[in-house]
Amino acid sequence: MKQLFTILILILLASASNAQEMLGIANSNYAGTNGLSLNPSSMVDSRLDLDINLITLGVSADNDYLFLSKDSLKFFGFKRIVDLVGDRGYLDKFSFDQEDKQFNAGVYATVRGPSAVFHIKKHWIGLTTQMRAAASLSSVAAPIAKFSYEEDGLKYDPLQNQLFEDTKFDIAAMLWSELGVSYGHEIYNKEKHYLKGGLTVKRLYGYGSAFIKNRGMSYNVQNDSVFTVYNPKVQYGHSFSENIEGTKYNDLINGRGWGFDFGLTYEFRPNYDDTRYEMDGQRIEDPNANHYKLKVGLSVFDIGKINFDKNAVFADFSDAKISYWPGYDTINFINTIDFDTTVSNYTYGNPTQSVKANKYSIGLPHALSLQADYNIWKGLYANLTWIQSIKTENVSVTAANLISVTPRYEFKWFEASLPISMYQYTAFRVGVAFRLGSLILGSDKFGSLLGLSNLGGMDIYMGLKFSLPRARVKDSDGDGVSDKRDKCITERGSWATLGCPDRDGDGILDRDDACPDVQGIAKFQGCPDTDGDGVQDKEDDCPLVAGLPQFRGCPDTDGDGIPDPEDSCATVPGIPEFNGCPDTDGDGIPDKDDECPTEKGLMQYKGCPDTDGDGLIDRLDSCPQVAGPASNHGCPIVEKVEKKEPVKVELTKEEEEVINKVFKNLEFETGKSVIRDVSFSALDDLSALLKKKPKFKLLIDGHTDNVGKAPYNLKLSQSRADAVKTYLSAKGVEESRLTAKGYGMTKPIASNKTPDGRQKNRRVEFTIVE
């Protein structure tokens, strides 16, 4: 134990040093256990599901007093550096000798043993073990630094016989181990904003320590072997006493204590939705993706102390008299008791007067840190880390102040970074670090070896770990349904079907679907019934039109028992004899071929009757009940009585327009002789014309088409002609001037075979005569 601690002290005095921060890897999203010491909240929502540190080694030394100029390092080579460091005169050439300047140095070594970071749902847990050694010099005045560095020590003539007043400095060194438990959890998570926190509690075990705490003294180096100290306010202690009261302590652990680290981290996530994906019916965060654009962390670490109460010596020289120590360089110390006794003897004249107690405390290297991490593009980041030592009046190992900017590129299995830092805000450093799979290798000061910066210290860290990067919820077939909920892990499906395929999207799994490529219904095992008639399409002769099962899914619109595809008259009930077409009058001629479908007729007359059998069908026979020649419109010939025929009057254009207007606008209620209101205006104009022309007489002739029976049509035409006569008479036209005659369907002016022809035949004609 003594030998190890002595080696650390020698390293400290021979090559001043700096705290070990591992800047190249500490801020990585894949840092795992190696990020806990800087900010415990870093493990929360990191890119690792599990991180197991097998071993990580790190050692660092730095100072702001001595250095090799980067110009002297132009020709890189280890032997070159060894030669330069060994040449004290060459080093002195590059030292700072300002009397008012204070210098700092530190050495730090760590061995991180088996450690792990894992999470259970939203709870992140870290278990860490590590051995640490640290030694620091702080606020060392330039003259003391010069005396300490010079090969001849107090023989350095330029500084002899001078009074140096109120000099202050601290020296502390400690070797200890830590068992840490860390806990982290998200504090706030809402869309763009994310806040997480972490706490580490460490049980500390101290193996060895030593310190000198100087809060002010004046001194004078009189010659090569004598110096005088005035009004010292100095305390010192160490844990290497071999026998204080006659008892020898061999315990390995000389002290115990507690330590704490605490950190908060805020992440700004402007594109939070882009880092989510569909799984099990909801959008969840993609653990593979970086979620933040900017991350800002604040932490305090190494808060705590170790109480040394075994093999410990604490001495206080605050009340010492003015004294001198002649021949200090010729004194040989056999052991620590010899050292304590000798110091007391020269200081007080009493071998034991300065030894005050057998216990003391040394604090951890307390520090405050701020980290800012900016995602430039994909895996490219820029990090800013600031570490400020927290100094107290208590004895503690001192952390170094530094600020660093670190560009890095990180990927799941590879990472490279370039930490650029300022030690104690004055000494420029350039480093490099790599992570390849489970291997970590880096240095925060490697650039000095390349001549990029002055060589005032060196560090190296390396590690071997096992990591499981966070992964998306396992979804073997990539269908957005996790394997633990997927009922068909090897086949792509959907959340609605719990991961089983349903190619046609009808909600019936392909394995149960008789028609897997066509949307269907459960009733028919996934086969479709497009028209919804209860007959599945593959058995439906009319799949697009709802029908009846007895007709294999085809409709029977008119309900005549003949399916529409076989029914020539699908909208009218008919009989099988005529393929579903009707024969209303039962004359053996289907209505569609029967020109008189409502009257039983003869085939030669296309279904129309010839009641009087004179060869002229009834609708063309003016005397259908009495046989007569066609030349006389089916009426018998009777003796003609000479009668003066009326003479048609030649009308003016305006008078013709009145007649045409009445003709075009005269309308009756369907099947009745009631004149519609729309006809009144034209009839009024006609009555006005007749009253203006008292000599005019008017013939009113009514006509119908051949639909219906002839007697009915004859009566209807007469009634409509009489209705017009009555209307005009009511308007003041003498009834004697009006003649109304109905002709029924005997005088067609167009074919009754077409709707247009029948419409033309349904008319009332007006003729002006004298």
Side-chain angles (χ1 to χ4, degrees):
M1 176 61 67
K2 269 195 319 186
Q3 290 80 354
L4 174 59
F5 199 76
T6 302
I7 290 172
L8 290 174
I9 295 295
L10 290 175
I11 292 174
L12 175 63
L13 297 176
S15 58
S17 57
N18 170 34
Q20 171 67 35
E21 302 301 342
M22 302 185 187
L23 296 172
I25 62 172
N27 288 290
S28 169
N29 289 304
Y30 297 89
T33 58
N34 290 318
L36 292 177
S37 59
L38 183 61
N39 190 329
S41 67
S42 66
M43 64 178 170
V44 180
D45 198 40
S46 73
R47 301 282 70 78
L48 299 177
D49 254 339
L50 173 66
D51 185 61
I52 299 177
N53 180 73
L54 301 177
I55 187 168
T56 297
L57 306 174
V59 61
S60 173
D62 214 334
N63 83 110
D64 55 4
Y65 175 51
L66 298 174
F67 65 90
L68 290 174
S69 168
K70 61 183 179 181
D71 293 333
S72 68
L73 301 170
K74 290 181 179 178
F75 304 101
F76 176 79
F78 181 75
K79 185 176 184 304
R80 168 69 170 165
I81 294 173
V82 172
D83 290 344
L84 291 177
V85 172
D87 187 347
R88 298 173 66 85
Y90 195 75
L91 271 173
D92 185 51
K93 180 179 179 181
F94 297 102
S95 65
F96 296 95
D97 292 331
Q98 301 95 320
E99 291 188 9
D100 59 345
K101 185 174 179 65
Q102 294 181 336
F103 299 99
N104 304 276
V107 64
Y108 183 99
T110 185
V111 178
R112 291 177 183 160
S115 305
V117 166
F118 58 93
H119 71 100
I120 302 173
K121 295 185 178 181
K122 295 293 184 179
H123 304 278
W124 296 80
I125 300 169
L127 303 174
T128 55
T129 65
Q130 59 180 336
M131 178 75 75
R132 298 173 67 181
S136 64
L137 283 77
S138 59
S139 305
V140 178
I144 296 178
K146 190 66 174 177
F147 277 127
S148 301
Y149 168 68
E150 288 299 322
E151 186 173 7
D152 294 332
L154 297 182
K155 296 180 182 180
Y156 187 65
D157 295 341
L159 296 180
Q160 289 182 346
N161 294 309
Q162 297 185 44
L163 179 62
F164 298 102
E165 297 182 310
D166 200 27
T167 303
K168 300 178 181 179
F169 61 86
D170 288 325
I171 302 176
M174 184 165 61
L175 175 66
W176 76 101
S177 64
E178 299 177 354
L179 297 178
V181 177
S182 302
Y183 175 75
H185 197 273
E186 64 180 35
I187 299 172
Y188 182 82
N189 183 2
K190 189 173 182 181
E191 298 181 349
K192 297 181 181 180
H193 306 287
Y194 183 82
L195 180 65
K196 56 187 179 180
L199 172 68
T200 298
V201 179
K202 300 180 285 189
R203 183 57 169 161
L204 311 174
Y205 298 94
Y207 302 108
S209 64
F211 74 90
I212 298 175
K213 185 177 182 63
N214 171 33
R215 281 296 167 261
M217 71 177 183
S218 300
Y219 68 94
N220 175 21
V221 178
Q222 298 176 16
N223 54 50
D224 297 352
S225 59
V226 178
F227 69 89
T228 304
V229 177
Y230 305 91
N231 301 320
K233 298 177 182 178
V234 179
Q235 298 173 342
Y236 90 89
H238 63 80
S239 62
F240 300 108
S241 175
E242 296 179 41
N243 192 342
I244 295 179
E245 298 178 353
T247 302
K248 195 169 184 177
Y249 292 93
N250 296 315
D251 289 8
L252 180 64
I253 300 174
N254 291 324
R256 291 174 172 81
W258 293 94
F260 303 91
D261 303 332
F262 175 73
L264 292 171
T265 301
Y266 165 76
E267 295 182 3
F268 177 55
R269 301 175 170 184
N271 302 316
Y272 73 97
D273 198 53
D274 294 342
T275 61
R276 295 170 179 257
Y277 69 104
E278 292 290 336
M279 181 58 62
D280 293 345
Q282 59 183 334
R283 288 186 64 78
I284 62 174
E285 289 184 349
D286 185 350
N288 286 326
N290 168 56
H291 298 146
Y292 64 88
K293 188 66 177 177
L294 174 65
K295 177 172 69 175
V296 179
L298 178 65
S299 61
V300 289
F301 53 87
D302 280 337
I303 304 300
K305 63 182 180 180
I306 298 178
N307 300 313
F308 287 91
D309 55 8
K310 288 185 179 181
N311 298 329
V313 170
F314 172 75
D316 190 340
F317 296 102
S318 297
D319 58 351
K321 300 177 181 179
I322 299 174
S323 182
Y324 67 94
W325 191 348
Y328 81 97
D329 57 340
T330 63
I331 298 175
N332 294 317
F333 302 119
I334 298 174
N335 51 39
T336 56
I337 294 178
D338 187 23
F339 173 81
D340 298 331
T341 303
T342 302
V343 172
S344 297
N345 187 45
Y346 279 106
T347 307
Y348 289 92
N350 185 329
T352 60
Q353 186 173 351
S354 64
V355 178
K356 301 296 184 182
N358 63 346
K359 63 180 179 180
Y360 60 85
S361 299
I362 293 186
L364 300 179
H366 318 319
L368 170 70
S369 177
L370 177 68
Q371 313 96 38
D373 207 45
Y374 183 75
N375 180 217
I376 300 172
W377 178 76
K378 292 187 176 180
L380 184 61
Y381 297 80
N383 179 269
L384 172 68
T385 295
W386 168 61
I387 298 176
Q388 175 64 46
S389 173
I390 301 176
K391 294 185 178 181
T392 68
E393 289 300 316
N394 300 320
V395 177
S396 64
V397 180
T398 304
N401 301 320
L402 63 85
I403 188 168
S404 69
V405 175
T406 305
R408 77 177 187 281
Y409 176 78
E410 66 178 33
F411 185 63
K412 186 180 296 185
W413 301 112
F414 173 77
E415 185 172 341
S417 62
L418 188 70
I420 303 169
S421 59
M422 294 291 287
Y423 169 75
Q424 297 295 2
Y425 308 135
T426 59
F428 179 70
R429 304 288 186 257
V430 179
V432 66
F434 297 95
R435 175 178 57 84
L436 181 61
S438 298
L439 180 65
I440 295 171
L441 181 63
S443 169
D444 294 340
K445 307 175 184 67
F446 184 76
S448 298
L449 300 181
L450 302 177
L452 299 178
S453 62
N454 298 328
L455 180 60
M458 184 46 61
D459 78 324
I460 188 170
Y461 45 90
M462 61 188 68
L464 185 64
K465 66 175 187 171
F466 171 75
S467 299
L468 287 178
R470 293 182 70 189
R472 288 187 171 192
V473 176
K474 191 172 182 181
D475 178 13
S476 300
D477 52 17
D479 59 2
V481 182
S482 62
D483 284 359
K484 67 179 182 181
R485 297 188 178 184
D486 199 325
K487 302 301 182 182
C488 302
I489 294 179
T490 60
E491 299 177 276
R492 291 176 63 88
S494 67
W495 172 243
T497 59
L498 293 180
C500 289
D502 175 17
R503 294 198 299 269
D504 53 21
D506 58 5
I508 301 168
L509 306 185
D510 287 356
R511 66 190 181 192
D512 302 323
D513 198 331
C515 301
D517 296 308
V518 184
Q519 287 189 350
I521 56 178
K523 178 180 178 180
F524 298 121
Q525 291 185 289
C527 287
D529 175 14
T530 304
D531 52 22
D533 59 3
V535 181
Q536 57 180 308
D537 288 0
K538 64 182 181 181
E539 297 176 0
D540 196 329
D541 290 344
C542 302
L544 302 179
V545 183
L548 301 171
Q550 61 267 36
F551 299 130
R552 291 185 56 83
C554 287
D556 177 14
T557 304
D558 52 20
D560 59 4
I562 302 170
D564 288 359
E566 302 173 9
D567 196 329
S568 299
C569 301
T571 60
V572 182
I575 56 178
E577 181 182 353
F578 299 121
N579 295 326
C581 287
D583 178 14
T584 304
D585 52 17
D587 59 4
I589 302 170
D591 289 359
K592 63 186 182 67
D593 300 325
D594 196 332
E595 293 186 0
C596 301
T598 60
E599 298 177 277
K600 193 171 184 178
L602 302 172
M603 182 67 70
Q604 61 268 35
Y605 299 129
K606 295 183 178 181
C608 289
D610 178 16
T611 302
D612 55 14
D614 58 5
L616 190 65
I617 60 178
D618 289 357
R619 68 179 182 184
L620 300 178
D621 195 332
S622 298
C623 302
Q625 303 298 324
V626 182
S631 59
N632 198 36
H633 304 291
C635 290
I637 299 174
V638 296
E639 243 180 75
K640 291 184 179 180
V641 178
E642 290 293 332
K643 185 178 179 181
K644 185 177 180 181
E645 295 290 330
V647 179
K648 187 175 181 180
V649 177
E650 290 288 329
L651 301 177
T652 65
K653 182 177 181 182
E654 289 76 13
E655 294 168 344
E656 284 285 349
E657 288 178 358
V658 171
I659 299 300
N660 291 334
K661 182 179 179 182
V662 176
F663 180 80
K664 293 179 180 178
N665 292 283
L666 183 60
E667 293 183 16
F668 296 88
E669 295 292 339
T670 304
K672 299 179 181 180
S673 59
V674 178
I675 301 173
R676 290 184 176 177
D677 294 348
V678 294
S679 306
F680 293 164
S681 176
L683 290 172
D684 290 344
D685 291 342
L686 178 58
S687 66
L689 174 61
L690 293 174
K691 286 189 288 185
K692 184 178 178 181
K693 300 287 187 175
K695 292 184 178 182
F696 285 1
K697 295 180 181 179
L698 180 64
L699 301 181
I700 305 169
D701 299 331
H703 304 274
T704 68
D705 57 18
N706 68 342
V707 178
K709 294 185 177 182
Y712 171 82
N713 288 334
L714 181 63
K715 181 179 180 180
L716 178 60
S717 64
Q718 184 63 56
S719 296
R720 287 181 172 177
D722 290 338
V724 174
K725 177 179 178 181
T726 301
Y727 183 90
L728 293 177
S729 177
K731 289 295 182 177
V733 180
E734 295 86 352
E735 189 175 346
S736 59
R737 297 170 59 193
L738 303 174
T739 302
K741 176 67 174 177
Y743 294 94
M745 55 187 183
T746 61
K747 293 186 176 183
I749 60 173
S751 173
N752 279 307
K753 292 183 179 181
T754 64
D756 183 63
R758 289 193 293 270
Q759 183 177 356
K760 290 179 180 180
N761 290 333
R762 296 190 297 268
R763 67 194 187 282
V764 176
E765 295 179 342
F766 301 89
T767 306
I768 301 294
V769 297
E770 291 184 342

